[in-house]
Structure formats: C-alpha cells, structure tokens
Amino acid sequence: MDGAQKDVRTKPRKQPSRRPNPLISLVAPCYNESESLGLFLDAVLAILKGKDFRFEIVFVDDGSSDDTRAQIMQLADKHQEISLVALSRNFGKEAALTAGLDHARGDAIIVMDVDLQDPPELISDFIAKWREGYDVVYGTREDRQTDTFAKRFTADGFYRLFNKISAIKIPENTGDYRLMDRRVVETVKQLPERSRFMKGLFAWVGYSSAGVSYVRPVRAAGTTKFNFWRLWNFAIDGIASFSTVPLRMWSYVGAIIATLSFIYALIIVTKTIITGTDVPGYASLITFILFFGSVQMISIGVLGEYISRLFVEVKGRPIYVVDETYDGSAEDR
Ligand code: UDP
Ligand code: MG
C-alpha cells in the first residue's frame, strides 16, 4: 500500500511561485456535445475575458458522432484561445481528460465538463485559492438534490466503501471539476496506468488542496453519457485500481470458513462416536456445497478483476490516440 492518508484538505504552500500574468488552461472533454458547446463557451468567456490572467481552452473531442468536432474547429477559427485535440474514436472521459492534460500549456489547468454542470463562476474562486498557495482546488457539491435518489444512494455508498478500503482518500461529493497547478499536472502525467480513474489519480499525487462548495445544476442541454452500467464499471475500476482489499480479503474469508468447518467436523465426529452412524444430512450437505461453490466463484471473479487489469496494463497500449489537433487562428502561441 502507498501509506495511509488521513485528511484530504491541507494548508496552502507558504511560498508559491505564481506568475503575475499566468496562463490558465481550461480542459473540456466533449462527447456528442453539439447542443451544449455554444452555451458553454458563452458562459465561460464571460468569466475569463478581461481578467488579470491569460487563458486557453483545450477541447477534446472524444470521438463524437455528431458535429461536435466541426463546431469546435469553427470556434477555434473565431477565437485564438481555443484549440482542439480530436481522438480517433471514443476512448471515454478519463482518457479524454488525459489527452487534454497532455496538451494544455497553462500555469494552472482547470478540468471542466461542457454541459455547464460545473459552474463557470467558480473559476474565479479557484484561481484566487490557487494564488493563495493551494496547488489543487476542487469543487465540492453541497447537495445532490439534482440527482435521482438511486444515484445519490449509490454514489454515497461508493465513496464510503472506497475511502474505507483504499489508502488514498478521495473527498466525498467531488467530481473532476478542479484546478491544478502545473506541477500537479506534471505529476499526474507521470502516472503510467491505463485504468485511469482520474479522481483517484488526482488524490494520489497529493499536494496542498482546498475545496470550494457549489450547488450542481442540471445539465444545460443534451443527455448524460453515463448510464447505470457505465457507472458501475467505473466504480469497479476505481476500487480495483486503488485497493487490494478485495483481493486479500479472501484469505481471511477462507481462514474463517476453515475454522468453522473444523469445529463442525469435530462436532460430527464426536456425535458419530457417541450415537453411532446414521445417514441424515442431505439438507446441510447441499447447503454447504452451494455455499462453498459460490464463495469460490466470487473469489475467482475478484481474481479475474485484477488479472484483467494486469492484462490491460501489460499490453501497454497508449491511453488514447490523437486523430488530429487544430489551433485555428493561433499563430501567436
Ligand atoms: N464525456 C467524454 N467521453 C465520454 C463520456 C463523456 O468526453 O465517453 C464528457 C462529456 O462530454 C461531458 C463530461 O464528459 O463533458 C461529463 O459527461 P456527462 O455530463 O454525460 O456525465 P454526468 O455529468 O452525467 O456524470
Ligand atoms: Mg454532466
């Protein structure tokens, strides 16, 4: 394990080296977001323009099948701050984020969804905190009113379980929406794994961090790209990437069952010695067979989860493939 960690919040750095006119990068992964793009850009530009920092917006087109890519290119022609990294197919949000971080050049980098569920107003607070000396500033959801009961319940359970069995703690109710200093991003980029549970990776690198709370609005346009099955796989991925408890617990389960079986064996043997042989016990026998059968199935399944991850890591394929990048009118960068 990587050493237990107690609290997720820390003090700001005493002597942060913050440039006077820093470049702030916005990284926004997009998958079929043609309906939200325009709204997003208007909202974000209203916040970013005319401030005491420069900015760039890196859109990552995660293999959209609508005209998201064409739209971003048009925007890039109009605004020199905008650039596009287009992936060769849909690689998933985590890979798209990785691509965005690799291409962003800012002194600080903000990761943001394009559906306006990450309120752009927070950007100023993020930057203020960053200037105070925090290297990571993340948005924390005040409540989950805009989520369905089922999603709130499962999300809550996931964070609790994750933080219990992983040495790395992730702050509850925190999404990907955050600002990271350049050195944090450089560290994240050094993590080579293919299973990119970004929230976990962000927490793993550490550094001083602060949270800014906000109320998460509903999606501005379009529909969510995460259905139940995708979220479920995402949760499994997160746990299997950051905890070995599911793998190790079977030794203990085995030991407990072995002890219980031994006691039971003693009881049966003693009983047979005292009362002689009889042949009852179909019910208990079949129960035991089924029980141990399923315990073994589950533990093999858990082994499979880890082995499949090893398999993916060992293959060492790139995390994403870039189809093209586009800068539009950006000659002066
Ligand atoms: N996204 C992506 N690739 C995917 C799925 C989603 O880049 O395969 C992007 C999506 O365009 C959006 C962000 O990830 O900017 C969050 O997606 P969504 O709003 O659907 O997730 P939710 O807010 O419902 O969890
Ligand atoms: Mg969303």
Side-chain angles (χ1 to χ4, degrees):
M1 287 253 163
D2 314 73
Q5 172 202 6
K6 275 213 180 100
D7 195 3
V8 268
R9 289 185 198 208
T10 42
K11 292 218 156 49
R13 210 152 31 113
K14 278 273 154 45
Q15 287 173 315
S17 46
R18 305 285 189 244
R19 282 205 279 157
N21 186 23
L23 177 67
I24 306 290
S25 299
L26 237 61
V27 168
C30 314
Y31 179 50
N32 295 342
E33 296 286 4
S34 58
E35 289 170 58
S36 316
L37 264 174
L39 294 170
F40 172 80
L41 194 67
D42 291 344
V44 155
L45 286 181
I47 299 286
L48 293 175
K49 281 229 155 120
K51 296 278 159 60
D52 54 348
F53 52 78
R54 294 166 298 131
F55 68 93
E56 63 163 5
I57 306 178
V58 180
F59 285 110
V60 182
D61 172 31
D62 187 14
S64 301
S65 51
D66 63 2
D67 67 342
T68 298
R69 190 191 295 200
Q71 269 195 37
I72 298 172
M73 284 180 167
Q74 275 175 12
L75 295 174
D77 283 333
K78 249 200 277 173
H79 305 271
Q80 59 155 20
E81 295 92 350
I82 294 181
S83 61
L84 162 76
V85 180
L87 305 187
S88 60
R89 63 169 167 85
N90 179 246
F91 278 86
K93 183 183 176 188
E94 311 295 300
L97 273 181
T98 307
L101 293 183
D102 287 346
H103 285 81
R105 299 166 313 118
D107 300 301
I109 290 149
I110 298 176
V111 172
M112 217 172 159
D113 291 355
V114 284
D115 56 5
L116 288 178
Q117 285 195 288
D118 299 337
E121 303 82 63
L122 252 64
I123 293 177
S124 320
D125 299 335
F126 281 3
I127 294 174
K129 285 259 180 230
W130 174 66
R131 283 185 163 141
E132 275 175 38
Y134 290 100
D135 287 318
V136 179
V137 190
Y138 51 81
T140 311
R141 299 176 59 172
E142 242 161 45
D143 57 49
R144 283 182 168 263
Q145 289 309 321
T146 49
D147 281 352
T148 58
F149 173 75
K151 177 138 188 212
R152 253 183 287 161
F153 183 75
T154 44
D156 212 47
F158 170 74
Y159 282 114
R160 252 184 239 181
L161 178 67
F162 185 98
N163 284 337
K164 214 169 220 127
I165 65 177
S166 160
I168 300 302
K169 311 294 172 216
I170 48 178
E172 266 181 51
N173 294 325
T174 301
D176 290 321
Y177 189 27
R178 65 186 61 220
L179 173 148
M180 286 173 284
D181 187 66
R182 160 71 31 203
R183 36 187 225 137
V184 179
V185 172
E186 288 306 320
T187 316
V188 171
K189 278 158 71 171
Q190 281 173 26
L191 304 181
E193 52 245 80
R194 321 285 111 191
S195 319
R196 300 198 72 80
F197 183 66
M198 288 311 252
K199 267 183 262 194
L201 299 184
F202 292 154
W204 185 90
V205 300
Y207 294 106
S208 60
S209 60
V212 174
S213 63
Y214 71 102
V215 178
R216 193 167 172 86
V218 290
R219 213 172 213 286
T223 51
T224 177
K225 312 293 181 286
F226 289 89
N227 56 24
F228 173 77
W229 190 235
R230 212 164 163 179
L231 278 175
W232 169 258
N233 283 326
F234 186 57
I236 301 268
D237 206 33
I239 287 173
S241 305
F242 281 89
S243 173
T244 49
V245 170
L247 203 51
R248 289 180 307 154
M249 75 184 196
W250 295 104
S251 324
Y252 298 100
V253 172
I256 291 167
I257 292 178
T259 314
L260 292 178
S261 325
F262 184 69
I263 294 171
Y264 187 61
L266 279 184
I267 293 171
I268 301 177
V269 170
T270 321
K271 216 173 133 199
T272 315
I273 290 171
I274 295 171
T275 62
T277 333
D278 57 347
V279 201
Y282 169 76
S284 59
L285 206 60
I286 200 75
T287 311
F288 282 131
I289 291 175
L290 290 177
F291 176 69
F292 289 115
S294 49
V295 167
Q296 279 164 10
M297 287 294 202
I298 295 171
S299 47
I300 292 173
V302 172
L303 277 181
E305 286 292 333
Y306 285 87
I307 291 176
S308 66
R309 269 170 192 77
L310 278 178
F311 180 57
V312 170
E313 297 294 334
V314 161
K315 279 190 288 189
R317 290 186 184 152
I319 296 163
Y320 59 87
V321 176
V322 175
D323 185 16
E324 59 179 333
T325 57
Y326 188 74
D327 261 2
S329 55
E331 310 93 36
D332 58 337
R333 289 193 299 154

